[in-house]
Amino acid sequence: MNMMTRHGAALKVENCGKTFADGTCALARATLDIAQSETLVLLGPSGCGKTTLLRIVAGLETPDSGGRVLFDGKDLTRQPIEKRNVGMVFQSYALFPNMSVADNIGYGLKLRGLPKTERAARVAELVALTNLGGLEDRRIDQLSGGQRQRVALARAVAIRPSVLLLDEPLTALDAALRERLRGELNDLLRKLGITAIYVTHDQAEAMELGDRIVVMRKGAIAQVGTPREIYFTPANRFVAEFVGAANIIEAPIESGELVLPGGRVPVSGRDAMSRAVAMVRPETIMLADAATAGLAGTVDSVRFAGDRQRIIVRDAASVPLAVDAPNTVNVSAGERVGLSIPPAAIRLLPEED
Ligand SMILES: Nc1ncnc2c1ncn2[C@@H]1O[C@H](COP(=O)(O)OP(=O)(O)OP(=O)(O)O)[C@@H](O)[C@H]1O
Ligand SMILES: [Mg+2]
């Protein structure tokens, strides 16, 4: 496999919705373009339609009439999964427990009638790529969760798929292993340079793995953007709160300033508004001198998190404010603190929901 070039198809999901036979509308009509070698992450809470969308791309589900799925411009909507050349990895790996690691990885190649020597060479390549060296002859039921996950991934990419589809592949693992494998998976996706769609409800996974993230809510797309766009400029309150920690402050605006119980905070460029729903990330709020700061409140609690500390300040805004301070700052509950919020850190959200 040539590791440095782009692989896989460019995909288009056009006007695809899904209403199941029982009337459940799992997916509202959605259109998405996925570039060749891009990793697109579908992120959202349980039941929002992520798997349904993935299954439509895979050919395991047909979209409602009018929906189309195109691989490199070719309409494959009516083609079953066998004709789409997709590699899939699920949460429950679906490996063959009694077969060896090597036989699992080579399974799809055998089905396709690839000669034994070529098969062995391809399997060896993937074993090396996924750090499974020395485990080729082990049975699946003799592997750890992380090793199984790697076998599932190697098996999925062995067939050189047009697109790799991953549905919560790390969910079955414990937190520490998840984090490590997330990094490995990221490296691997970059090395393979393959088009991939990755489903998760974990925002940290989405941030690290996605070239772009599609945030979904109740069967609809809430926002599409790069991790930075999603984090810094969420389109609405749902996205702001689902991705990262967010203070959502509802307040009147007077002379370009948010009027809060604990003081006033300038916002840029929205003088015309009289009320706002504003989002402020905890790490953008700075502690300041209570006597001189424009905004002040009382420390409610301090939670030390090692690399930083999360301070909850009451009476500054209509809701308690979460503030992330450096781990060296010394404050305690009951203390009066000033807060400084740079205008650029305040994101005004549409007043909906
Ligand atoms: N075959 C089906 N028949 C009827 N409803 C279904 C079917 N499959 C899924 N649904 C419903 O469609 C909605 C979306 O399901 P989907 O599996 O796509 O969610 P998801 O985002 O993958 O959730 P999770 O994170 O829990 O896996 C849910 O309300 C689900 O109950
Ligand atoms: Mg799912």
Side-chain angles (χ1 to χ4, degrees):
M1 232 176 288
N2 182 347
M3 298 304 168
M4 299 319 288
T5 51
R6 290 164 175 269
H7 288 275
L11 302 190
K12 190 175 180 75
V13 171
E14 195 180 85
N15 208 22
C16 282
K18 182 70 192 179
T19 307
F20 284 106
D22 66 355
T24 307
C25 179
L27 190 66
R29 291 190 178 277
T31 295
L32 284 171
D33 278 296
I34 303 142
Q36 184 188 39
S37 95
E38 179 179 29
T39 301
L40 188 81
V41 172
L42 306 181
L43 173 70
S46 185
C48 72
K50 305 180 295 293
T51 296
T52 302
L53 181 51
L54 199 74
R55 287 171 58 86
I56 288 174
V57 173
L60 292 167
E61 213 75 80
T62 18
D64 295 344
S65 75
R68 299 204 305 162
V69 177
L70 300 101
F71 282 43
D72 282 333
K74 202 166 153 229
D75 188 344
L76 296 187
T77 316
R78 301 287 149 220
Q79 301 294 329
I81 184 163
E82 314 84 81
K83 300 254 174 80
R84 294 192 187 192
N85 195 34
V86 295
M88 289 197 84
V89 183
F90 302 96
Q91 181 180 345
S92 63
Y93 319 134
L95 295 167
F96 304 108
N98 298 316
M99 267 162 53
S100 69
V101 166
D103 287 347
N104 264 281
I105 297 175
Y107 184 76
L109 302 174
K110 194 171 177 182
L111 276 188
R112 286 164 192 230
L114 206 72
K116 204 169 176 182
T117 46
E118 269 181 60
R119 216 159 70 209
R122 189 95 68 92
V123 169
E125 206 174 18
L126 285 157
V127 163
L129 193 67
T130 49
N131 290 322
L132 287 166
L135 298 174
E136 294 89 336
D137 299 325
R138 284 263 193 104
R139 285 201 328 257
I140 297 303
D141 53 14
Q142 298 169 323
L143 298 179
S144 73
Q147 290 163 342
R148 286 177 205 207
Q149 199 268 342
R150 285 187 220 135
V151 176
L153 198 67
R155 185 181 63 175
V157 296
I159 58 160
R160 294 180 185 164
S162 302
V163 56
L164 181 61
L165 305 175
L166 307 111
D167 195 349
E168 313 234 19
L170 303 181
T171 309
L173 308 170
D174 67 64
L177 188 56
R178 268 182 91 131
E179 196 159 325
R180 192 160 58 82
L181 281 179
R182 191 164 81 211
E184 281 183 22
L185 193 56
N186 196 20
D187 290 345
L188 190 63
L189 287 173
R190 306 294 140 197
K191 266 193 243 169
L192 290 168
I194 194 177
T195 312
I197 304 181
Y198 188 99
V199 165
T200 183
H201 59 258
D202 179 330
Q203 46 120 351
E205 248 170 66
M207 290 281 166
E208 180 164 347
L209 295 172
D211 290 314
R212 283 186 305 152
I213 298 173
V214 178
V215 185
M216 296 177 65
R217 179 195 194 189
K218 293 181 184 165
I221 293 175
Q223 189 173 2
V224 183
T226 64
R228 281 184 169 77
E229 285 164 352
I230 298 281
Y231 189 80
F232 291 118
T233 56
N236 51 52
R237 185 171 184 156
F238 173 76
V239 175
E241 290 185 306
F242 194 75
V243 179
N247 293 296
I248 306 289
I249 305 166
E250 293 183 43
I253 296 189
E254 268 176 37
S255 326
E257 291 181 320
L258 285 175
V259 181
L260 304 175
R264 286 174 167 245
V265 178
V267 281
S268 41
R270 302 297 171 104
D271 304 336
M273 292 173 75
S274 62
R275 251 199 103 65
V277 180
M279 179 208 71
V280 183
R281 299 282 186 200
E283 73 276 15
T284 61
I285 307 180
M286 286 164 294
L287 294 177
D289 185 353
T292 54
L295 182 66
T298 303
V299 174
D300 199 62
S301 64
V302 179
R303 216 173 67 219
F304 185 68
D307 57 343
R308 69 199 148 82
Q309 47 195 339
R310 168 73 50 92
I311 298 166
I312 305 297
V313 178
R314 62 170 188 264
D315 304 332
S318 50
V319 291
L321 292 182
V323 178
D324 281 353
N327 53 13
T328 47
V329 171
N330 202 356
V331 287
S332 41
E335 204 171 311
R336 191 93 185 128
V337 288
L339 300 174
S340 155
I341 308 176
I346 301 171
R347 166 91 184 152
L348 299 179
L349 301 172
E351 219 161 334
E352 26 99 37
D353 301 352

